Amino acid sequence: MKQSAVQGTGNRRKPQLSFWQIWNMSFGFLGIQFGFALQGGFMSRIFQTLGAEKDALPLLWIAAPLTGLLVQPVIGYLSDRTWHPLFGRRRPYFLVGAVLSSLALLAMPHSSVLWMAAGLLWVLDASINISMEPFRALVADKLDERQRSYGFVLQTLIIGVGTWVASNLPWFVAQLGVANEAGPGVVPPSVKVAFSIGAFVFLASILVTVLTTREDPPADLQRFREERLQGKGLVAEILHSIAHMPRQMLAIGIVQFFSWLAFFSMWSMATPGLTEHVFKAPAPDPAAFDMAVPGQAAAFQSANAAFQNAADLVGSYMGYYGLSSMLVALLLSWYAARRPLNRRLVHFVSLLAGGIGFVSMYYVSSPAWLIGSFALVGVAWASILSMPYALLASCVEPAKMGVYMGIFNMFIVIPQIVAATMLGPSLRAFFHNEPIHALVISGVSLILGALCLVRVHEPAHDVAAVPAN
């Protein structure tokens, strides 16, 4: 493999990093996950509050995967070719994405009409992607093969914390006395406060990584500059990299397709599916009530309060998949710090567990049982956020780590686009427009992803590297 100054590390053995060095370089993911968890747990609630029909929700979400499809390969390409003497290669993108994401989070719950919320979702997802993609490349940049599983699992631990806390924010804020309901077409104050907290955490956690993590400059800065000027160009380089992606990357990508189709279906349809099927409190349609009639107005307020409270609890129960993933990540990080993981086997078992968790939601007779269902989903989530990237980093040329991490995320966003366009029509055509079946589809998809791991090979490992003290 040709040595390139663009990356500056080549095949040389990198120094082992301590726990706190790996923790600090990954800490920004706390904020990124606050953004994703608030988006994933409560965007459908905002859409429904603004009058969206439940079968239109997946299509309203299409902005998110379309943005990722366009943004992530571009940001990966650019970050591979960036070097700033103060901020390094990846950190400029962390910072720009964090500022834009925080502004979008502040504005999102103040949307007054549906098209405004959909547009802000586009801005929010683009901004989160600007920050997120370089974080994956940073772990591969700084960690030797012996520590990469540990590094990606530690990232997953931080993501789990962020998912659990952010998913419970509207419920927690409501418990402090902030109103959890509002008039027709108005997002409740509890959601507005939760998104404001998320904006602060996003920016603050990214700053921790930016200020505590140092990136190594290219070994030959002059050669790095020359290669940057002599490159194929953005579009040509991305297309060339897609055409020549490693076979292992394609095999992992197929697994990713089924994994992310499952989670997109959950994010877009869990609120309508569970509020209706488990809590028996679907979102009321304001057009069905005559607000000029006192009894009708009171009936709407009662139905809306029941939906908003149920939506709070759905978000809170969804937080358990973050808590579960955090515990699984702790176990995996403890193990990975001592001996090599069989990444393929871990991923296979985890995806099966998540599939069972999703399917079980259809049979839940009491809301409390959702804790167990989401806990199983969290096992899959912990693995999805770590094992595929650890498997991928072993087969990618270091000089193109950023662009390949961006391209790899096409296997994340393409299934989301498929779900966004096909899920609503499928529910209407085959499942009587009952959104709970979207979660059953999620379960089947994860099980199919697990079976596709037969085409993924487990690379050889060095002796596991324990983080320095």
Side-chain angles (χ1 to χ4, degrees), residues 20 28 40 74 92 175 179 187 209 232 238 258 262 359 379 385:
W20 288 114
V74 172
Q175 299 307 302
V187 177
T209 292
K232 297 183 178 69
I238 291 174
F258 289 108
V359 173
V379 176
L385 293 176

Side-chain angles (χ1 to χ4, degrees), residues 24-165:
N24 287 335
M25 66 187 274
S26 301
F27 191 76
F29 247 114
L30 179 70
I32 290 173
Q33 195 54 35
F34 258 71
F36 271 130
L38 288 170
Q39 172 183 301
F42 303 101
M43 273 311 305
S44 288
R45 175 180 180 176
I46 291 174
F47 286 149
Q48 286 190 283
T49 298
L50 296 174
E53 297 292 335
K54 60 188 179 184
D55 59 340
L57 291 175
L59 197 57
L60 287 169
W61 273 80
I62 199 170
L66 279 177
T67 302
L69 183 66
L70 298 172
V71 170
Q72 293 201 13
V74 172
I75 294 299
Y77 171 88
L78 294 176
S79 69
D80 279 343
R81 284 155 179 76
T82 296
W83 180 256
H84 188 279
L86 179 61
F87 292 108
R89 173 176 288 112
R90 316 294 181 185
R91 288 178 293 161
Y93 299 92
F94 301 166
L95 197 54
V96 170
V99 172
L100 294 175
S101 298
S102 296
L103 292 174
L105 283 168
L106 286 171
M108 177 67 74
H110 294 277
S111 301
S112 55
V113 290
L114 197 56
W115 65 261
M116 182 179 177
L120 281 171
L121 175 59
W122 194 297
V123 175
L124 175 61
D125 207 83
S127 304
I128 293 176
N129 276 295
I130 291 172
S131 286
M132 184 185 71
E133 192 284 329
F135 259 100
R136 300 294 190 190
L138 181 66
V139 171
D141 287 347
K142 292 187 66 67
L143 296 183
D144 189 82
E145 169 65 20
R146 299 168 299 161
Q147 285 193 304
R148 279 178 182 164
S149 290
Y150 184 82
F152 284 118
V153 166
L154 199 60
Q155 258 188 14
T156 302
L157 172 62
I158 293 171
I159 290 170
V161 174
T163 300
W164 181 60
V165 176

